[in-house]
Amino acid sequence: MGPDLWLLYRQMLRSRRFEEAVTDLWEKGKISGEMHLGVGEESIAAGIVAHLKDGDAMALDHRGTPPLVVRGVDLVLILKEFLGRADGLCCGMGGHMHLFSHEHFAASSGIVGSAGPVAAGFALAAQHLRPGNIAVAFFGDGAMNQGMLLESFNLAVAWKLPVLFVCKDNEWAITTRSQHVTGGNLLDRAKGFGMPALEVDGTDVEAVWNAARQGVEKARKNNGPTFLLAHCIRPEGHFLGYTPLRKSLESMVGMVGPLLRSLPARKGASPGERIASLGSITSLIGRTVAEKYSKRRDPIYRVRQRLKADKSRLNEIEKEVAKEIQQAVGIALS
Ligand SMILES: Cc1ncc(C[n+]2csc(CCOP(=O)(O)OP(=O)(O)O)c2C)c(N)n1
């Protein structure tokens, strides 16, 4: 049996609209500090969380809002937390990066890579106290170079812990291209620990749902962890108001002219190296622009295209979601 795409669409849209509302509050100065959004990775949150049941746990990174929204954590409590209110989810002390919901066994942290050990701990507890329950760890490709995450892979395999390790791979860690600081390939790295590793287009919610099902079923049967590499995009850049994205784009554009003019120069790098630099700069510009403006890899657009034959049902869901978010914002601000 396949996923209920209507349900997944609703969940993804709830997350997107919620983060748009958060963006609005942040831009108005009502939310202070950095704000890392999960826009572009709603399909990963929805496709995975759809398999979770009561007693399952989630360990989240600094971009934890989509899984919390999709898991059913009270939106008003999350918003109040972001607003720094004492009646927020964590008494206004956690902000958007350090959230905890006891009811949902969910914990997030801004310490890159910590989702691994936290999920392993949740899974160890489940193994002893709630057999059949599992834990999911969500983290980025940057975290894959953190020792503690790799140590948790090792223990999860050695102790057959019921964990699904989910790497949301957008190929960047702030301003660092992951490929420049990563040896080997991530799937092989996970396999090196003796863990099954699956790769999926993380902007395709159905593909994520199918891959997650395999890992979750295996973990529930006490057959140990699975690694899921989900490729995704981050149209907003690292965090809200992330000028380096625009700035680096401007500076990259500025490099094209000099590189072109240098092609016939007799001194300096070889023509092959110059052409390669030009190629990598132009492809980086193309990809950055495409991620920001093209809908081709927008997970919400993609799933909506598959549902568009039933316009009235889409309209109904979109209206309901808009109303839910509007009401949550209204209550949180009141
Ligand atoms: C242990 C640790 N080192 C460094 C940082 C600073 N830092 C915050 S986010 C980030 C990049 C993380 O990249 P990735 O894991 O790919 O997640 P993304 O932001 O791309 O979702 C870094 C290095 C941190 N928060 N924690």
Side-chain angles (χ1 to χ4, degrees):
M1 202 186 66
D4 177 347
L5 286 186
W6 288 102
L7 183 66
L8 294 177
Y9 177 64
R10 177 189 289 273
Q11 292 289 37
M12 290 162 67
L13 197 64
R14 288 180 69 242
S15 176
R16 177 72 59 93
R17 295 289 174 261
F18 184 76
E19 291 201 309
E20 283 168 359
V22 167
T23 303
D24 183 50
L25 294 172
W26 186 86
E27 282 172 349
K28 287 179 177 148
K30 293 189 187 296
I31 296 176
S32 55
E34 291 175 354
M35 176 55 66
H36 304 83
L37 299 180
V39 169
E41 54 191 56
E42 295 91 346
S43 36
I44 303 177
I48 287 165
V49 171
H51 294 284
L52 300 188
K53 58 180 196 182
D54 283 354
D56 289 339
M58 302 194 302
L60 310 167
D61 62 5
H62 51 289
R63 232 173 267 290
T65 307
L68 291 172
V69 169
V70 172
R71 190 77 172 109
V73 177
D74 187 330
L75 300 185
V76 175
L77 288 182
I78 302 178
L79 278 173
K80 286 184 174 175
E81 182 60 34
F82 290 6
L83 292 162
R85 295 254 301 263
D87 52 353
L89 186 64
C90 299
C91 308
M93 306 295 276
H96 79 285
M97 275 195 279
H98 301 101
L99 296 165
F100 181 72
S101 167
H102 187 260
E103 186 191 344
H104 298 88
F105 287 110
S108 71
S109 168
I111 300 174
V112 170
S114 65
V118 172
F122 270 135
L124 183 64
Q127 203 176 46
H128 288 278
L129 305 174
R130 303 184 306 280
N133 274 129
I134 65 152
V136 182
F138 289 94
F139 49 86
D141 43 296
M144 283 296 288
N145 292 324
Q146 267 288 349
M148 67 179 131
L149 182 67
L150 304 178
E151 289 172 38
S152 69
F153 285 4
N154 177 55
L155 272 190
V157 174
W159 295 349
K160 275 176 75 178
L161 298 178
V163 190
L164 181 64
F165 290 106
V166 182
C167 178
K168 304 166 290 160
D169 184 3
N170 74 320
E171 300 177 18
W172 287 92
I174 314 186
T175 46
T176 302
R177 291 281 283 158
S178 283
Q179 69 184 48
H180 295 159
V181 292
T182 306
N185 117 359
L186 298 183
L187 281 179
D188 288 344
R189 192 180 287 185
K191 285 181 195 162
F193 287 93
M195 183 159 49
L198 306 168
E199 186 171 23
V200 75
D201 176 353
T203 65
D204 176 349
V205 69
E206 185 165 12
V208 173
W209 188 92
N210 280 318
R213 179 165 68 168
Q214 290 181 47
V216 168
E217 279 178 3
K218 182 169 164 286
R220 288 207 196 287
K221 290 182 190 146
N222 207 19
N223 287 325
T226 299
F227 175 75
L228 180 59
L229 181 63
H231 300 282
C232 63
I233 56 158
R234 181 83 35 71
E236 278 307 322
H238 185 69
F239 46 54
L240 271 184
Y242 186 56
T243 43
L245 181 75
R246 327 268 180 264
K247 287 272 170 254
S248 55
L249 200 58
E250 280 163 27
S251 64
M252 280 192 284
V253 171
M255 286 158 82
V256 173
L259 276 169
L260 264 175
R261 282 195 296 279
S262 79
L263 282 182
R266 277 195 280 148
K267 287 186 183 164
S270 70
E273 282 172 306
R274 286 179 211 157
I275 290 169
S277 310
L278 195 60
S280 70
I281 292 280
T282 46
S283 89
L284 205 52
I285 293 170
R287 287 186 53 169
T288 311
V289 170
E291 283 195 3
K292 179 80 187 131
Y293 300 106
S294 150
K295 291 205 171 299
R296 205 171 48 85
R297 295 197 70 209
D298 177 344
I300 297 196
Y301 175 80
R302 289 189 67 176
V303 65
R304 195 181 191 283
Q305 284 297 95
R306 298 182 56 187
L307 302 171
K308 68 179 179 190
D310 193 342
K311 285 220 163 39
S312 67
R313 194 164 174 192
L314 277 176
N315 277 341
E316 197 183 322
I317 291 176
E318 286 159 9
K319 266 194 205 150
E320 283 169 7
V321 169
K323 191 170 165 199
E324 181 193 3
I325 305 302
Q326 202 184 6
Q327 279 178 347
V329 174
I331 297 170
L333 289 177
S334 66

